[in-house]
Amino acid sequence: MTDTFIFDHVRTPRGKGKPDGSLHEITPVKLARIPLQALRDRNHLDTREVSDVVFGCVMPVGEQGGNIARMAVLDADYDLSVPALQINRYCGSGLEAVAMAAAPVMAGQADLAIGGGVEMMSRVPMGSDGGAWAQDPQVAAKTGFVMQGISADLLASLRGQTRADLDAYAAESHRRAARAWGEGRFSRSVVPVQDFIGVTLLERDETIRPDTTTESLAALKPAFHEMGTKYGYDAVALQRYPQLERVDHQHHAGNSSGIVDGAAAVLVGNALAAARTGCKPRARIRSFAAIGSEPTLMLDGPAHAARRALLRAGMSAADIDLWELNEAFSSVVLTMMEELDIPHERMNVNGGAIAMGHPLGATGAMILGTALDELERSGRGTALVSLCVAAGMGSAMIIERV
């Protein structure tokens, strides 16, 4: 297997995913081209060197449909010879896109590629693509379909996590994200978004609330109680997990990931590409893995995917210096820390999606870049990046600083 390196990564700031969000006026294609242009310009790339561009996009319909990756490549004025591919592994799409871009390099079939993702949740809302899982009664019944918020509450109920536990984790996410921005930890990799006349619309993540406390979060009502009881999702969950008397609904907007807009891109390649382009390797991709898990519970995949990635790399959890896990819900992160005995001081040290938001198709590439920047800032060596994935899956990747 050919050594494959991360040369660079960039992302946009994350804007509130509603019509009053700062990025709402930008189309998905225009947002997706921003990190592509930034990678090209700051690395002085001859884009003819790029063998492929793979972008995650979870709602690939309407403005995000029709292979948005290829449209973004063309709109970014890359050479016409550069092909592109849009993929969808739900929340894991951005990380999977990097893995898919890296795989041909590892196999000796390419030298330089880009993986990343985009999601404009203010313009193409969740659920816009429909799908059999939620809409076909036979499929839904066979697979135990519930809304993801129910799964989060189910996971917390099974693990004995309290509302205080969930809210404390969420408040810390905001504190860490605010500190990271205040100390300039994201400044190397976040590129501002400008409109068509050059006016800056957004230059930092929009949804961080530094004044968040466990007391302020305690005032919020559970978001999924009515959904679970009125529409029968709790009954489905309890049928799958009869050891529970009830599902305790404890998640709300404050301890769940925010809905945001954003895009990211990661440049990967081999030593030959480094010599030819002058790009400096920043990290080596040690391994990556994806795994399926039970679809009603849905959100316990990260630990399983991490174990598989560790096995492939010949490593153990003790060999990982930093962990970056998408904060879909507080229960997801608490569960992984419990499963793999990860101290909180090594998990999501710069906050996560509870504070900064989760642009579905882009998040995996974003947090991979966050982990790399933090390895360099802190002088540490290894990081494992992971995400829970809808329909019961998980994705993970291990990188090593060089």
Side-chain angles (χ1 to χ4, degrees), residues 201-239:
L201 299 175
L202 189 64
E203 55 188 1
R204 60 185 294 159
D205 299 316
E206 191 171 23
T207 60
I208 301 170
R209 299 185 302 277
D211 58 347
T212 299
T213 63
T214 53
E215 291 76 19
S216 64
L217 293 175
L220 299 176
K221 294 181 179 180
F224 308 108
H225 178 268
E226 182 177 2
M227 182 186 296
T229 56
K230 184 175 180 180
Y231 297 102
Y233 291 123
D234 281 5
V236 174
L238 294 174
Q239 187 176 33

Side-chain angles (χ1 to χ4, degrees), residues 157-222:
S157 299
L158 288 167
R159 306 289 304 196
Q161 296 161 357
T162 68
R163 171 70 181 264
D165 295 333
L166 304 176
D167 286 354
Y169 181 84
E172 180 65 7
S173 179
H174 282 277
R175 190 192 72 80
R176 292 183 179 191
R179 180 192 63 190
W181 270 108
E183 295 180 357
R185 296 188 185 186
F186 300 133
S187 59
R188 177 177 181 179
S189 303
V190 176
V191 292
V193 177
Q194 298 177 334
D195 65 13
F196 72 100
I197 61 172
V199 174
T200 297
L201 299 175
L202 189 64
E203 55 188 1
R204 60 185 294 159
D205 299 316
E206 191 171 23
T207 60
I208 301 170
R209 299 185 302 277
D211 58 347
T212 299
T213 63
T214 53
E215 291 76 19
S216 64
L217 293 175
L220 299 176
K221 294 181 179 180

Side-chain angles (χ1 to χ4, degrees), residues 8 36 107 130 156 165 169 187 203 247 267 272 286 322 361 394 398:
D8 200 9
L36 291 175
D165 295 333
Y169 181 84
S187 59
E203 55 188 1
V247 177
L267 181 66
L272 181 62
R286 289 286 303 269
L322 291 172
I398 299 172

Side-chain angles (χ1 to χ4, degrees), residues 152 155-157 159-173 176 250-251 255 299-300 302-303 325-345 347-348 354 388:
L155 181 62
S157 299
R159 306 289 304 196
Q161 296 161 357
T162 68
R163 171 70 181 264
D165 295 333
L166 304 176
D167 286 354
Y169 181 84
E172 180 65 7
S173 179
R176 292 183 179 191
Q250 303 179 88
H251 284 90
N255 57 27
L299 303 175
D300 64 337
L325 173 60
N326 181 42
E327 296 175 350
F329 301 91
S330 286
S331 61
V332 174
V333 190
L334 294 182
T335 296
M336 187 171 180
M337 289 196 292
E338 293 164 3
E339 283 282 317
L340 297 177
D341 194 24
I342 304 166
H344 196 180
E345 59 265 23
M347 171 67 79
N348 294 352
I354 289 174
C388 61

Side-chain angles (χ1 to χ4, degrees), residues 46-112:
D46 179 348
T47 58
R48 290 175 296 182
E49 298 275 359
V50 179
S51 65
D52 206 356
V53 173
V54 185
F55 258 40
C57 182
V58 178
M59 298 298 149
V61 295
E63 293 181 311
Q64 291 183 165
N67 189 357
I68 189 172
R70 175 62 174 167
M71 295 304 104
V73 163
L74 294 174
D75 201 42
D77 297 317
Y78 274 45
D79 191 82
L80 296 180
S81 65
V82 180
L85 171 69
Q86 174 268 321
I87 66 163
N88 180 9
R89 199 192 292 278
Y90 298 118
C91 301
S93 298
L95 189 63
E96 291 292 334
V98 178
M100 288 187 68
V105 180
M106 291 180 169
Q109 301 303 303
D111 296 326
L112 193 69

